[in-house]
Amino acid sequence: MRLPWLPDDPRGGFPPLSRALRDPDGLLAVGGDLHPERLLDAYRHAIFPWFSPGEPILWWSPDPRLVFDTATFVLPRRFRRRLKASTWRMSADTRFDEVVARCADAPRQGQSGTWIGAEVRAAYGRLHRLGHAHSIEVLDGDVLVGGLYGVAIGRMFFAESMFSGTSGGSKVALAGLARQLAAWGWPWIDAQVENPHLLSLGARPVPREAFLARIQSLGGFPGREGAWSETWETVSAAALATPPPSGGPTPETHA
């Protein structure tokens, strides 16, 4: 099957997800650009870009999709014991460009390069300045020891990449994000593609059709556009040593 090429107009839309390939899983379309309007439209329709620098832009929607449930996310017990004496603190949207650069430079098992090239960095930097892309920073003093970045639409967060400069830094960033989003009534973090590391942290697969229906519902709620630096509440990594109280989703997450 030949992949459809996207039109130059960023408002041109995407093919139906039913046209996505099974091998490689979820490859849907090629071409277009990373204009903010196109990127936001992609995420709203369970699609994301993933390509190597120098190649045409490839657009994906794998089936199933991997998600974290924010209300039940808990770090492994042994790791939480380590955090009790941690002096690390967390912030949001204070060093976005640095987080993206560190994600690009982070070594990946089985990969010799990075997909986060200059074009991708510039595109997500634009989304950040428009208030749609956000970073979570884990800091040891002024040293960035871990972090992640992604895109927020309504009450849904689409994680793009994370890194650890010091062992455990990315886990703390993910756990801090999950706790804050749960407090805001945001039930899911999109983790995109299944891998053993994400599964070990509690991510679970969701059929693409169900994922699409849920994110379109969550995307209709009022979100938190603009910088998160002023509303970020989870500031201490040591606080993550204590699991959050269990409970069901808040009423505001219901569609």
Side-chain angles (χ1 to χ4, degrees):
M1 179 186 296
R2 292 188 60 184
L3 288 172
W5 279 80
L6 296 184
D8 292 336
D9 186 347
R11 298 166 295 181
F14 290 88
L17 299 189
S18 60
R19 295 190 60 182
L21 301 183
R22 297 303 305 172
D23 185 17
D25 180 25
L27 183 55
L28 177 67
V30 62
D33 56 24
L34 299 179
H35 186 280
E37 189 170 356
R38 193 190 303 268
L39 278 173
L40 293 174
D41 184 50
Y43 285 106
R44 291 187 183 102
H45 291 89
I47 301 164
F48 59 86
W50 186 23
F51 62 102
S52 297
E55 295 181 348
I57 300 171
L58 301 178
W59 299 90
W60 302 76
S61 186
D63 187 11
R65 195 66 164 252
L66 207 65
V67 302
F68 286 102
D69 295 289
T70 63
T72 58
F73 184 92
V74 179
L75 290 166
R77 183 175 300 174
R78 180 177 299 179
F79 184 73
R80 283 189 278 118
R81 286 200 295 265
R82 285 175 48 193
L83 289 181
K84 289 182 178 180
S86 176
T87 59
W88 292 356
R89 59 185 177 85
M90 283 170 287
S91 61
D93 285 345
T94 62
R95 294 160 74 164
F96 182 88
D97 291 336
E98 186 177 355
V99 168
V100 175
R102 294 290 296 275
C103 288
D105 294 338
R108 311 287 179 188
Q109 187 174 2
Q111 298 182 24
S112 58
T114 179
W115 70 275
I116 308 174
E119 185 179 8
V120 170
R121 295 191 201 189
Y124 285 86
R126 288 192 294 270
L127 275 187
H128 173 63
R129 291 188 291 274
L130 291 170
H132 302 294
H134 305 279
S135 63
I136 309 304
E137 302 90 27
V138 182
L139 300 162
D140 185 0
D142 290 328
V143 178
L144 189 62
V145 297
L148 62 81
Y149 77 97
V151 175
I153 298 177
R155 291 182 185 164
M156 181 69 200
F157 190 87
F158 302 86
E160 275 297 317
S161 187
M162 58 185 181
F163 82 95
S164 289
T166 301
S167 177
S170 63
K171 291 180 183 178
V172 169
L174 181 60
L177 173 65
R179 186 166 295 194
Q180 181 65 88
L181 294 183
W184 287 345
W186 299 29
W188 275 0
I189 299 171
D190 173 33
Q192 295 185 345
V193 181
E194 182 174 319
N195 68 50
H197 176 62
L198 296 177
L199 291 172
S200 73
L201 293 174
R204 64 181 178 91
V206 174
R208 182 173 59 206
E209 185 176 348
F211 177 82
L212 175 61
R214 189 72 191 280
I215 67 169
Q216 290 186 331
S217 172
L218 292 169
F221 285 104
R224 289 178 179 262
E225 294 183 7
W228 285 2
S229 53
E230 299 300 323
T231 57
W232 185 256
E233 298 168 5
T234 305
V235 295
S236 168
L240 300 174
T242 303
S246 60
T250 60
E252 64 184 350
T253 66
H254 287 277

